[in-house]
Amino acid sequence: MGHVLGIDAAWTVTNPSGVALLTTDTNPPRVLQASPSFEDFVRKTMPDAWCGKYDAKASLADVLVAAKEMGADAIDVIAVDMPLAHQPVRGRRRCDQLISRSFGARGCATHTPTTSRPGIVSDSLLREARQAGFNLVTEASHRPERALLEVYPHVALLELCNAGYRVPYKLARRARYWPEASAADRLSTILVSWERILRRLNERLDFDFAVDCTDRPLQFWKAWEDVIDAIVCCWVGLEWLSGRARPYGDEIAAIWVPERTDLGQELA
């Protein structure tokens, strides 16, 4: 079918955005590259060098050039974890309301966009994607050759992991997940959650890396979190390509959610 680019987009200009590239030219589809920032993706930085400072100079255009160098002559889908719309995103949208109504009881309500978060960051990414020939897709009947999708990894993971409630994998929320645990135990349990997610992804996708955050600074853990989110975005883009995703929203903005998978049962 082609190639999918997944972006775990930062909502501010000062933070990096994770990015992953997936090819469907293999069986199963293979993750060709996954990085915690546009800069690392362009430079093909290995994990041991991920903890440097980010200068935020690499653009989506740079990422697309790098993807072509990796064998992706054309990207069919860009799946982005960030509010996007056919008009500037400055507040709560119908898609946010629908996702919160449908998945809020399972711990996956959405954050409310504001004029500053993501604000101009969303505007800039949408503009760059359009300049590269991608069309924002908000309706099931619209299937352009180059599609730009908004996705939401928390909800996607409910479907991927057949989970009854939000999968606890975010570093910033570890104290809230396990308030009685020690700092070391919280990090250890986060790693277990990541392994669960990667195991389920590996049942659908091919990749040859494993997370190893042993004795590494917290910044390194955060880099891996962003990489995992980017791969999840890729998976949702793949599900859209395969006709197994549905939009929650309207003609202005929609969040694409994969349908319940057939990966079998797993405890929440």
Side-chain angles (χ1 to χ4, degrees), residues 123-143:
D123 299 344
S124 177
L125 182 61
L126 181 59
R127 182 174 60 254
E128 285 190 73
R130 284 173 169 165
Q131 289 172 348
F134 290 86
N135 295 288
L136 180 63
V137 182
T138 59
E139 299 174 286
S141 60
H142 185 207
R143 297 190 68 86

Side-chain angles (χ1 to χ4, degrees), residues 120-256:
I120 61 172
V121 179
S122 172
D123 299 344
S124 177
L125 182 61
L126 181 59
R127 182 174 60 254
E128 285 190 73
R130 284 173 169 165
Q131 289 172 348
F134 290 86
N135 295 288
L136 180 63
V137 182
T138 59
E139 299 174 286
S141 60
H142 185 207
R143 297 190 68 86
E145 290 186 8
R146 292 187 174 185
L148 176 67
L149 311 176
E150 177 182 345
V151 303
Y152 185 29
H154 275 301
V155 171
L157 289 173
L158 290 178
E159 309 309 314
L160 179 72
C161 296
N162 288 338
Y165 198 77
R166 179 177 182 147
V167 178
Y169 77 108
K170 288 293 185 178
L171 281 168
R173 297 169 80 70
R174 62 193 185 281
R176 192 176 305 178
Y177 295 148
W178 308 288
E180 304 302 322
S182 68
D185 285 344
R186 289 170 185 162
L187 287 175
S188 178
T189 310
I190 284 284
L191 186 56
V192 171
S193 289
W194 290 356
E195 290 171 346
R196 172 191 181 188
I197 293 167
L198 290 172
R199 183 175 66 252
R200 301 296 276 188
L201 284 169
N202 211 193
E203 293 173 4
R204 286 290 181 91
L205 312 176
D206 179 32
F207 48 86
D208 55 6
F209 53 80
V211 178
D212 181 9
C213 294
T214 308
D215 298 323
R216 300 303 297 267
L218 196 59
Q219 184 181 1
F220 190 78
W221 287 74
K222 183 61 173 72
W224 267 112
E225 179 189 297
D226 294 343
V227 163
I228 291 170
D229 270 337
I231 297 173
V232 173
C233 290
C234 275
W235 175 68
V236 181
L238 176 64
E239 292 299 284
W240 181 86
L241 270 178
S242 303
R244 294 190 296 263
R246 58 172 293 194
Y248 285 71
D250 53 26
E251 69 279 4
I252 301 299
I255 297 172
W256 289 86

Side-chain angles (χ1 to χ4, degrees), residues 4-99:
V4 180
L5 195 69
I7 300 176
D8 175 38
W11 285 27
T12 65
V13 296
T14 56
N15 290 323
S17 296
V19 58
L21 175 64
L22 176 75
T23 179
T24 64
D25 293 341
T26 60
N27 187 20
R30 180 172 176 78
V31 177
L32 297 177
Q33 179 75 16
S35 307
S37 74
F38 281 15
E39 292 74 26
D40 284 315
F41 186 85
V42 169
R43 298 168 184 166
K44 303 179 181 65
T45 309
M46 299 302 292
D48 284 347
W50 277 355
C51 288
K53 294 182 179 180
Y54 299 101
D55 55 21
K57 290 181 180 178
S59 65
L60 178 59
D62 296 323
V63 168
L64 293 174
V65 169
K68 187 172 183 178
E69 293 172 352
M70 296 173 194
D73 291 331
I75 302 294
D76 298 89
V77 181
I78 301 178
V80 183
D81 176 19
M82 185 171 66
L84 300 168
H86 288 296
Q87 61 189 35
V89 179
R90 299 297 184 264
R92 199 156 183 81
R93 306 159 299 163
R94 177 165 171 73
C95 60
D96 298 311
Q97 296 169 342
L98 290 175
I99 288 289

